[in-house]
Amino acid sequence: DIKMTQSPSSMYASLGERVTITCKASQDINSYLSWFQQKPGKSPKTLIYRANRLVDGVPSRFSGSGSGQDYSLTISSLEYEDMGIYYCLQYDEFPRTFGGGTKLEIK
Amino acid sequence: QVQLKESGPGLVAPSQSLSITCTVSGFSLTSYDISWIRQPPGKGLEWLGVIWTGGGTNYNSAFMSRLSISKDNSKSQVFLKMNSLQTDDTAIYYCVREGTGALFAYWGQGTLVTVSA
């Protein structure tokens, strides 16, 4: 199985700050990577797919980048509503595997 | 609009089996694959398996011996059955519609299953 190592596991950031979360796959996943945001008591919401494609309706302050084994999610200017837990997912191979999550809190 | 809704038993005794139904609307199961994903309370996400439009399946090998996914296209329902439940199977179970762009674009609200005597 492909292991997805996500970092940091938790972080505090200030409003307006640029935030970056990273995900490293145990092998090349050919950009088959998605990012999700989950808020308390809610189902996850897809932000990014194919490493860098923004889902319709997701604010443009979110962006994804990376290739091979290394990927990142960036929030260009943190807003209060961005609090939550973020997960990466690889879907290059079965079983699909998620990163462990990053809990993002406002400082 | 696209909707998925899980319905499950809530509480299952250890060593018993679990059955969850996912009822979908706004699309046809003959056009979209459905995955099952679970999330233990306060923990991360775990992919369980997928049923494809044609009825074929792929399971996470960690669950292959005790997991079964099936569907009834005419009733717009997908079924998850898991045997020999233990306390660490306590989780929210989600059904999720797969897509050609964003893979997991549509999620159900999830159903909490607690394994306890």
Side-chain angles (χ1 to χ4, degrees):
Chain A
D1 298 2
I2 297 175
K3 182 174 172 62
M4 303 300 292
T5 302
Q6 192 173 335
S7 62
S9 57
S10 66
M11 66 181 297
Y12 286 88
S14 301
L15 295 177
E17 186 175 339
R18 183 181 182 88
V19 170
T20 298
I21 298 167
T22 65
C23 219
K24 185 175 183 71
S26 58
Q27 64 186 65
D28 188 340
I29 56 171
N30 299 299
S31 297
Y32 285 102
L33 182 111
S34 273
W35 290 99
F36 300 84
Q37 177 195 61
Q38 187 176 32
K39 299 199 173 183
K42 299 293 187 184
S43 304
K45 170 187 170 185
T46 309
L47 303 174
I48 302 281
Y49 65 100
R50 282 295 259 143
N52 60 13
R53 299 180 190 179
L54 198 66
V55 170
D56 287 348
V58 172
S60 59
R61 63 181 180 274
F62 290 93
S63 63
S65 64
S67 62
Q69 295 178 253
D70 297 300
Y71 299 86
S72 62
L73 171 72
T74 297
I75 307 172
S76 60
S77 179
L78 189 67
E79 298 196 6
Y80 186 79
E81 65 192 42
D82 299 335
M83 276 198 308
I85 302 177
Y86 291 81
Y87 295 95
C88 62
L89 162 79
Q90 72 78 21
Y91 53 106
D92 185 48
E93 287 189 5
F94 289 103
R96 282 122 183 199
T97 46
F98 290 89
T102 296
K103 186 174 184 179
L104 174 58
E105 297 179 276
I106 306 297
K107 201 182 292 183
Chain B
Q1 72 276 28
V2 173
Q3 290 188 320
L4 302 92
K5 186 171 184 179
E6 306 88 347
S7 53
L11 182 65
V12 177
S15 80
Q16 297 303 300
S17 64
L18 167 67
S19 292
I20 303 174
T21 299
C22 172
T23 302
V24 309
S25 59
F27 67 97
S28 171
L29 293 176
T30 59
S31 298
Y32 292 91
D33 307 328
I34 300 293
S35 268
W36 287 93
I37 293 168
R38 75 177 187 179
Q39 184 172 36
K43 296 189 178 181
L45 299 161
E46 185 169 37
W47 181 81
L48 300 177
V50 60
I51 187 163
W52 290 310
T53 54
T57 54
N58 187 296
Y59 300 128
N60 188 325
S61 58
F63 303 94
M64 194 175 292
S65 63
R66 61 190 187 104
L67 178 65
S68 173
I69 300 173
S70 60
K71 65 174 178 169
D72 185 331
N73 291 334
S74 65
K75 294 184 177 179
S76 295
Q77 292 181 323
V78 181
F79 311 105
L80 176 146
K81 183 169 184 179
M82 187 179 291
N83 299 322
S84 305
L85 259 66
Q86 301 303 322
T87 54
D88 59 1
D89 292 312
T90 293
I92 298 171
Y93 287 76
Y94 296 100
C95 59
V96 187
R97 194 189 90 169
E98 300 205 358
T100 52
L103 184 66
F104 295 147
Y106 295 94
W107 295 64
Q109 64 192 21
T111 186
L112 175 63
V113 174
T114 302
V115 182
S116 174

